[in-house]
Every structure is written in C-alpha cells, then in structure tokens.
Amino acid sequence: MSKLVFGYPFMLFAKCNCTNQIPIQAMEIHEQSENTALKYTLQCPVCGDHLHRVVNLNQEATDLTNSMNAFKVIPTLKDELAIIKLDTVKAKLQDDEIKLYGNYSHLRFWDNMVQKDIIKIHYKKED
C-alpha cells in the first residue's frame, strides 16, 4: 500500500471537534478500479477523539477545507520564517495523479492590491 508523506515546507493539520489541530504526517492511498481514496486515522491528544477520514477523489475538485488546514513555511531574511495559511485545501485526480492544492491571498504592500494565488501542496509518494 502506498502513501503520501508531507514534510517541509508544507504542514497539514486535521481539525478536531475540540478545535485542536492534529498534524497529518501521511495519508494512505487506496486505489481501486473506479476511484482513488486518501485515508488517515489520527487521535487527538487533547480530547482523545479518534479521527478517521476517507476522501474519495475523482477529476472534480474535492474541498477538504472543513476537515483540514494547510500551511506553507517560507524562509525569510535574518533567520526568520514566514508561515502562510492556505485559504482552501482541495484535492483531485488529474491524469491519474493526485493533485493537492490550495488558494492563498495576500495584500501587496507596494500597490495595496490583494493578490490571489493557487499553491500546489508538495508531497512524497512512498510505497
């Protein structure tokens, strides 16, 4: 069984009902003839709840924003880090490959415009 493994510069967190965020280190990939599913099981260290989520993917974008948050760490000058939160988290199948991505918006200070970008969430696929 293969899995998606997340690491620097991306951090994914599952949302628990107690408002805690639990790091998602990996998701299992279940491929069947008709669809592909991502599966992860976590336990909340605060309330003890078990989170068991299965996300069925197809060519249409599946919105995962209600169940997880995604952040990207960006190195900056003088040994500091900037952490950006993606506004949305989405997944889909494109050309039989799993695509994870999110929308991100930020204010450009030099012209006071809000710039909107789509950021691909990078992962490693392990068998």
Side-chain angles (χ1 to χ4, degrees), residues 6-115:
F6 304 99
Y8 179 83
F10 286 95
M11 300 181 295
L12 272 64
F13 292 89
K15 296 178 183 178
C16 183
N17 290 333
C18 73
T19 69
N20 187 40
Q21 295 189 62
I22 307 159
I24 301 172
Q25 303 295 328
M27 292 182 186
E28 296 174 1
I29 303 171
H30 295 273
E31 294 177 336
Q32 292 151 355
S33 61
E34 298 159 5
N35 64 3
T36 298
L38 297 177
K39 175 184 170 185
Y40 60 95
T41 303
L42 303 167
Q43 182 175 5
C44 179
V46 175
C47 69
D49 262 359
H50 289 277
L51 302 175
H52 177 73
R53 303 250 162 81
V54 177
V55 179
N56 294 311
L57 301 178
N58 55 35
Q59 282 70 30
E60 298 294 320
T62 302
D63 192 354
L64 306 174
T65 309
N66 290 334
S67 62
M68 71 175 59
N69 285 323
F71 299 88
K72 182 176 182 182
V73 177
I74 302 172
T76 62
L77 299 175
K78 298 184 181 181
D79 297 327
E80 297 175 357
L81 294 175
I83 299 176
I84 59 171
K85 180 184 181 291
L86 277 59
D87 299 329
T88 62
V89 181
K90 297 182 181 183
K92 70 178 179 177
L93 284 178
Q94 185 175 8
D95 300 326
D96 293 329
E97 188 176 328
I98 297 169
K99 301 288 184 181
L100 291 168
Y101 61 96
N103 296 340
Y104 164 65
S105 58
H106 60 97
L107 177 64
R108 296 189 311 215
F109 292 110
W110 61 90
D111 61 359
N112 285 334
M113 297 294 296
V114 174
Q115 180 177 340

